[in-house]
Amino acid sequence: MRKNGLKKLLAGLSAACLAAAAMPAVSYAAETADTAAKEVVGDSNCDGSVDMSDVVLIMQAMANPNKFGLGGTDEHAITEQGWKNADCNGKADGVSTDDALAIQLYLLGKGEISNGKTDEQPPAVEATKIHLKNTTITVEGENATVEGTTVTITHSGEFYIDGTLDDGQINVNIADETADAETVKIFLNGVNITGKSAPAILVTNAENTSINIVDGTENTITDGETAYAGDFAKAAVIEAKDDITIKGGEKGDGVLNITANVQDAISCNNDIKVNGGIINITTNNSETKTDGIKAKKSVTIKDGTLDIDAAGDGIKSTKDAISFAGGITKIKAGNDAVQAETTIDISDGKLVAGGDRGLTAVTGINITGGTVIATATDNQVDEKLIKAETQPVILLNCIADPTNEKDGTWKKANNLEWTVMRPEMNVNTDKTDFQKKYKYILISTYSITAGTTNFTNTNVNKWITHTNSEESLFAVSNGINVFNNVNPAGAADNVNVPPSETNA
């Protein structure tokens, strides 16, 4: 019988969810300066008692939040104090229909109501401080052990690191990442770490690790002059087996310099995110073409300033997508500037990339916002993969530079400037910032919209031309716009190119 009664109660509560929006508002004791609402667990309407009217108001707030929820339009919408009181199922997990059920059980004498909070507060955990002293390491705090010139972080928490390590390692190794799934937060507070025989920073095991660049500091991470051997033969200077995020401070002016003389710079078996700071990455091994940032899964750039000069690929994902959602990213690459196994998704920020190939993806290149300037020496991006509906994508396929007998590429000094076509922008022109020599150019930017524009080579101060130097006017529309036989040097002095309405 008891089970049947509870089933009926639950069924009634479900029905109340459907009907609550249509019910008339339940009155409550209005808060005034003289009679302010008090904290009474379960008293959602702040009338000083707990009854079915509190159940009804919770259900109304759940079913029609615009009218009865916090800030709702109805004069009897739940108040901030009422919302706090309504969280009463003993779990302190926010207001839900579970709280309405808890009140009904309480009124039937079948349960208790509680806010789930206790007077006991968890002890404040101070950050652990790790001091690097060339050939030794000292630790102030917990959850970090030292063996020689390796410090191992064994638990989640905050770890501030400063000083110089001639040849050593910061190793994150959580014994049980299921039991300890919180983030390991490493704060680089003015460090210079060289990992000569193994990664300077190694994430062996952790659910999440963040590398935070402290504001106002400059930090350097590097390898030696000899390749890693054994288990670390293919490891990067910063190597992560699990997710890793690089962040800046509140000001975002902290600097992280990563120089990979022999190895890749950053490598991760899962996902890599860049959320802030100033990050400069250089890889120097032209023999093995080492990469800047490489993830097996995804790479996401959300904020910060990222400058990559890579002998191999600039940013690479071997199994998933690469996303640019903010910040400023500049890439100069010996191979592909950006290479994704699935899609390259660009929604915001600025990406300026140059490589043998600029943007390389397997299933799609989706451009929905931001600024993209990608150049290539070997071949143009596959236009069949590009999806761009909100702004133009301009592909310029250039003729060979007649002054360059070696490979016909154009020097990066031949930058382009164009007339801004959006009237709300307070500039007359916008321009590129090429990272290396080129034959092929992709430009997509907010400043160019559907219409006509001209491009000027700022190196020689001439309008560039297309269609065998017959046209200096570029008519563009949203989507893909391809221009062939583009001459970045512009028409010869003795060739008359009619002025367009844009430059007349």
Side-chain angles (χ1 to χ4, degrees), residues 453-497:
T453 190
N454 294 98
F455 291 93
T456 302
N457 182 329
T458 58
N459 189 42
V460 297
N461 197 28
K462 284 187 175 183
W463 295 324
I464 75 169
T465 60
H466 62 95
T467 316
N468 297 319
S469 294
E470 293 179 1
E471 298 285 345
S472 63
L473 177 66
F474 290 76
V476 298
S477 59
N478 286 343
I480 315 303
N481 302 265
V482 181
F483 299 93
N484 294 312
N485 297 315
V486 174
N487 184 358
D493 292 336
N494 60 348
V495 175
N496 181 28
V497 179

